[in-house]
Amino acid sequence: MAALLQQRPGLAQGKAHGGASRQQVKVEAVVAPPSPARSPASTGTVKNPMTMTEKILANHSDNSLVVPGQNIWTRVDKLMTHDVCGPGTFGIFQKEFGENAQVWDNERVVLIPDHYIFTSDPRANRNVDILRDMAQKYNIKYFYDIKDRSNFKANPDYKGVCHVALAQEGHCKPGEVLFGTDSHTCNAGAFGQFATGVGNTDAGFILGTGKLLIKVPPTMRFVLDGEMPEYLLAKDLILQVCRS
C-alpha cells in the first residue's frame, strides 16, 4: 500500500479563496501483489521476430517463419485488374487453363475500367468491351462498369480510379494479400495488408489457382526528422526517399 500527499485542487499555498488555509489530502492507492514470474515458454515470447509483411506472408503460405529472399507460394485474397491489363490477363488465363476453365473465385476478382474510359479511340474502347465480356462470362461479382461516358452520374457502378475504388469499396483489408496489374497497387499497403503489382502472366496464373510464387521482400526503414514545409506534399517526400 502506498501513501501519497496531494494538495486539494483549487487551493494555493498559504491563504486563498477567502482566507482558507492549504489542506492536504491523504490518497491511498492499492497495488495488487506481484505475481510470480513465468518462464519465457509460457509467456509466448517472440523467438523469431518478423515484420508485418513477413507475418502476413507466413500466414498465407502456412509457414511459421519466413525471411527476406525466401521463395514461397502465397494464397491470394484479392486480384485487381483494369482495362489496360485485363484483356491480356484473361487471354493468358484462357490459353493456359482452357476456354472452359473457371476463375478460382469470382468474388475475389475485382475489375475496374479507369484508364481508357475518357478516349474515343475505338481500339481503347475495345479493351473496356473485353473486360465487360469477361465479367459476364466468369460471373465476376465486382465489376465497376461505365457505359455512359457523357454523364458519369448515369453510371451507378462506376467507382473511379482503381486504387481509390479498391479501398472505398472495402477490398483492402488488414492482414490480406492483394495483387493488381498496376505498379501503384502497393498503395493499398496503407491498410495493413501486403499489396503489390504483378504482370499479366502472374495475374493470369492467379485467376486459375488463387496462388502465386513470390520472393519475400526485404524491409527498409526511413527516419525523417524535422517538419514538412507547407509547399511540399507527400509525393515530394516519397520522391526524395526514392532519390536517396
Side-chain angles (χ1 to χ4, degrees):
M1 181 175 292
L4 302 175
L5 293 180
Q6 177 179 302
Q7 183 178 316
R8 177 180 297 175
L11 297 182
Q13 295 186 15
K15 293 184 177 180
H17 301 281
S21 299
R22 184 185 66 179
Q23 299 183 25
Q24 293 181 328
V25 179
K26 182 179 181 182
V27 180
E28 296 182 346
V30 178
V31 181
S35 57
R38 294 182 294 175
S39 64
S42 64
T43 60
T45 299
V46 177
K47 299 179 177 61
N48 297 301
M50 292 184 287
T51 65
M52 182 184 72
T53 291
E54 292 163 0
K55 290 179 180 179
I56 293 173
L57 295 180
N59 175 269
H60 281 67
S61 61
D62 297 323
N63 286 302
S64 59
L65 172 70
V66 296
V67 296
Q70 178 180 351
N71 292 319
I72 61 168
W73 283 98
T74 180
R75 294 187 300 276
V76 180
D77 293 300
K78 302 283 171 41
L79 172 68
M80 184 280 297
T81 189
H82 45 50
D83 45 330
V84 177
C85 299
T89 294
F90 278 99
I92 292 173
F93 165 70
Q94 292 174 344
K95 177 182 178 181
E96 300 299 329
F97 291 89
E99 287 288 338
N100 297 322
Q102 295 298 311
V103 299
W104 104 97
D105 192 327
N106 64 347
E107 294 190 9
R108 293 182 181 271
V109 179
V110 184
L111 307 181
I112 307 177
D114 68 344
H115 282 63
Y116 291 151
I117 59 175
F118 297 105
T119 180
S120 58
D121 188 324
R123 291 171 298 181
N125 293 335
R126 177 56 182 155
N127 272 34
V128 181
D129 293 337
I130 293 174
L131 209 61
R132 188 176 295 116
D133 293 341
M134 295 300 100
Q136 182 176 3
K137 178 176 181 176
Y138 297 108
N139 193 28
I140 304 299
K141 181 177 181 179
Y142 299 107
F143 173 45
Y144 300 108
D145 197 6
I146 179 170
K147 298 179 180 178
D148 187 350
R149 292 185 293 114
S150 65
N151 180 11
F152 280 88
K153 293 183 179 181
N155 299 275
D157 294 331
Y158 178 64
K159 303 300 178 181
V161 177
C162 60
H163 309 294
V164 177
L166 279 173
Q168 290 182 339
E169 297 305 309
H171 300 297
C172 300
K173 299 180 180 179
E176 289 194 347
V177 170
L178 181 151
F179 291 108
T181 56
D182 192 289
S183 61
H184 299 100
T185 303
C186 52
N187 170 81
F191 299 94
Q193 62 179 174
F194 176 75
T196 191
V198 293
N200 293 0
T201 301
D202 287 338
F205 186 83
I206 294 172
L207 278 177
T209 65
K211 297 181 180 181
L212 189 63
L213 178 65
I214 66 170
K215 188 183 295 292
V216 177
T219 298
M220 301 177 70
R221 179 184 182 186
F222 295 91
V223 179
L224 307 173
D225 295 323
E227 296 184 2
M228 284 275 287
E230 294 182 356
Y231 54 84
L232 293 182
L233 300 175
K235 178 66 174 291
D236 302 298
L237 187 63
I238 191 60
L239 287 177
Q240 176 64 23
V241 169
C242 292
R243 189 179 74 168
S244 302

